[in-house]
Amino acid sequence: MCNKIMWGTLLFAYTSIQSGINSNNNAVVPLKLSTTKNSADIVPHLLTNDADATFMQWCSDVGITCTGVELQTTSKSVAGRGVFSTQDISLGDTVISIPYYAALTEENAAVYCPALASELFDIQKGAIKKEKKRSKLKRIWNRIRRRREENELQPAGGHWQAALTAYALQGLKVDQHAWKPWVEQWARDDPMQTLVEGSSWRDNDEVIKKAVLDFHKMAPDIPDYKIAAAVGIRLQQIDNYSDQYKDRIPTDPSLYSTVLSRAVGLSDNVTAVLPMHDMINHSFKPNIGLTFADDGCIKLFATKDIPKDQELFLKYMDVLDEEGEWDEDKAAWLLVQWGIPCSRSDIEQDAVQEVSDD
């Protein structure tokens, strides 16, 4: 079942990390925080919520540009907290610019945590060595069977998830770490996160059943056995993570689960958690897109006109099959991966609305 879920892989860019050069041939620049402490100096309209003000101040300090948008904790958001427009935004406008050095990637984090980066390097090098040995035996066996398989020389993936989790944990532990004010604000509140944080699921099937039941109540159109399968895949990933990395690098299953829900693939070789981007909620009718430019700058731009005081949305994933029909398997993964429920009727109503809008 795990092989049916396509996960992005990120192998260490060994020479890039050692030379301090990123995948776009730009120098990795450590974050330099400003000395400004009063958030009202930067965002005077954010006085109602200290956490939002702290985060917006941090974004400004590290060089993230937000034009006409801000993070708000409000009942107007579909998730209780989201990014909203503070002015009218036109189609094509860049609303958020994130310098590459501000992104949490393996490459950037290695600048701050060289000892941890070295340990991760050794772990990944060992994993690649083992995979090559397995691949060699597999090739011999395939020759005996006169069979050739695609990508049989490719090393196993999954390293970036553990690496980004370890770097995030390091950021939380170090008082003056540049990413600490941001990572402290990461949060999930759904049955999967509750299950992982409880830590009792390894010895108690009943807590797993409860999580599946809670998910099913959120999305009754999705069969419970498909929800259970998706939950099982995630728990197996966490088990593998704990078995492989525990006692070698900092590990935390709860934060690992959170990282998986916030990460985005910037390219075939770079997976990252992006400040501000990770605060934007999901919609099947998004109004924001993302680009990763050659100069290394990550930009979020309007895909349609956005009036003032409207929430910004990205589409995390689609839940349609090749025929354009609602796919229960994808819907189950959307539910477990991000805690987002959807139903067949929701998708059908959206399709009717799109036709009427056209």
Side-chain angles (χ1 to χ4, degrees), residues 11 14 123-133 155-156:
L11 300 181
Y14 301 122
I123 292 173
Q124 183 67 343
K125 186 168 61 175
I128 292 174
K129 185 176 181 180
K130 289 180 182 178
E131 186 63 25
K132 284 183 177 179
K133 184 176 181 180

Side-chain angles (χ1 to χ4, degrees), residues 52-68:
D52 296 344
T54 297
F55 177 73
M56 292 301 296
Q57 176 65 62
W58 178 85
C59 287
S60 177
D61 287 346
V62 301
I64 296 171
T65 302
C66 300
T67 305

Side-chain angles (χ1 to χ4, degrees), residues 286-340:
N287 51 19
I288 292 294
L290 180 145
T291 62
F292 183 31
D294 291 339
D295 63 3
C297 187
I298 301 133
K299 295 182 179 180
L300 294 165
F301 62 94
T303 57
K304 59 183 68 175
D305 292 341
I306 306 173
K308 181 180 179 181
D309 295 327
Q310 295 296 305
E311 186 165 9
L312 275 56
F313 291 106
L314 292 159
K315 182 190 284 189
Y316 293 179
M317 67 173 287
D318 208 341
V319 291
L320 301 179
D321 60 20
E322 294 179 354
E323 285 74 39
E325 299 294 328
W326 188 61
D327 188 316
E328 291 178 345
D329 295 335
K330 292 181 179 179
W333 193 247
L334 180 74
L335 183 66
V336 170
Q337 169 76 344
W338 292 285
I340 300 171

Side-chain angles (χ1 to χ4, degrees), residues 94-252:
T94 296
V95 294
I96 301 170
S97 294
I98 307 166
Y100 180 79
Y101 63 75
L104 172 55
T105 67
E106 290 187 81
E107 188 173 20
N108 287 341
V111 174
Y112 302 105
C113 311
L116 178 56
S118 178
E119 182 62 30
L120 285 163
F121 179 93
D122 290 341
I123 292 173
Q124 183 67 343
K125 186 168 61 175
I128 292 174
K129 185 176 181 180
K130 289 180 182 178
E131 186 63 25
K132 284 183 177 179
K133 184 176 181 180
R134 284 195 295 265
S135 295
K136 183 178 180 180
L137 294 173
K138 188 176 181 180
R139 290 198 305 275
I140 294 172
W141 176 238
N142 284 338
R143 288 193 191 103
I144 294 172
R145 296 186 298 164
R146 296 183 179 180
R147 177 182 175 186
R148 180 177 177 81
E149 293 190 5
E150 294 292 331
N151 299 320
E152 60 185 16
L153 287 175
Q154 294 298 319
H159 182 70
W160 67 262
Q161 297 97 325
L164 295 189
T165 302
Y167 285 127
L169 281 169
Q170 197 83 344
L172 288 173
K173 292 177 180 178
V174 179
D175 287 340
Q176 299 302 317
H177 196 286
W179 278 313
K180 185 173 184 178
W182 168 39
V183 178
E184 283 180 328
Q185 297 210 22
W186 291 3
R188 280 190 66 173
D189 183 15
D190 61 83
M192 189 72 228
Q193 195 67 14
T194 300
L195 176 62
V196 175
E197 289 177 355
S199 300
S200 60
W201 50 269
R202 292 182 176 87
D203 306 310
N204 187 352
D205 289 343
E206 292 304 313
V207 296
I208 299 177
K209 292 178 182 177
K210 182 181 185 307
V212 172
L213 177 61
D214 290 341
F215 270 135
H216 188 58
K217 289 177 180 178
M218 293 170 59
D221 281 8
I222 306 175
D224 55 2
Y225 73 91
K226 291 194 173 183
I227 297 174
V231 169
I233 290 170
R234 175 46 48 83
L235 293 179
Q236 184 61 58
Q237 290 170 334
I238 294 173
D239 257 345
N240 293 343
Y241 157 73
S242 298
D243 291 344
Q244 183 175 357
Y245 294 96
K246 189 176 181 181
D247 299 327
R248 298 198 65 179
I249 60 172
T251 58
D252 185 312

Side-chain angles (χ1 to χ4, degrees), residues 227-287:
I227 297 174
V231 169
I233 290 170
R234 175 46 48 83
L235 293 179
Q236 184 61 58
Q237 290 170 334
I238 294 173
D239 257 345
N240 293 343
Y241 157 73
S242 298
D243 291 344
Q244 183 175 357
Y245 294 96
K246 189 176 181 181
D247 299 327
R248 298 198 65 179
I249 60 172
T251 58
D252 185 312
S254 177
L255 187 60
Y256 177 85
S257 180
T258 301
V259 166
L260 293 185
S261 69
R262 302 179 90 86
V264 61
L266 293 179
S267 70
D268 291 341
N269 297 317
V270 181
T271 301
V273 184
L274 303 176
M276 201 67 184
H277 168 276
D278 67 336
M279 300 294 182
I280 299 176
N281 291 313
H282 161 85
S283 172
F284 291 116
K285 295 187 287 186
N287 51 19

